[in-house]
Amino acid sequence: LLTVREVAERLKVNRNKVYELIKHGYLPALDLGGLKISDAAIDSFILKYSGHSFKNIDAVTQLQLA
């Protein structure tokens, strides 16, 4: 299991983005006195949402490349 900080480092985002992903249900976590995320959850997230933009967490969209 990884901490939010470790997940942020792995995904190359800040910790707030990881908290948003968890809060909005995109990334499942366990609360064990601190949020923990499994490697499997991260891998699943990457596979499922590759090609999506999470710039606006309230309006996740497919990437539109010009």
Side-chain angles (χ1 to χ4, degrees):
L1 295 175
L2 302 169
T3 65
V4 169
R5 181 181 58 79
E6 291 168 329
V7 172
E9 289 172 3
R10 184 165 170 188
L11 296 177
K12 307 291 191 239
V13 298
N14 66 43
R15 286 183 296 158
N16 289 338
K17 182 61 81 176
V18 176
Y19 284 116
E20 286 179 349
L21 292 170
I22 293 167
K23 179 181 175 184
H24 286 82
Y26 292 106
L27 188 60
L30 299 167
D31 189 348
L32 302 171
L35 293 177
K36 306 291 185 213
I37 301 96
S38 71
D39 282 321
I42 297 167
D43 293 342
S44 178
F45 169 78
I46 292 169
L47 286 172
K48 184 173 182 178
Y49 293 108
S50 287
H52 287 76
S53 173
F54 282 84
K55 287 182 183 180
N56 180 352
I57 196 78
D58 293 316
V60 175
T61 59
Q62 288 280 132
L63 284 176
Q64 301 296 318
L65 303 176

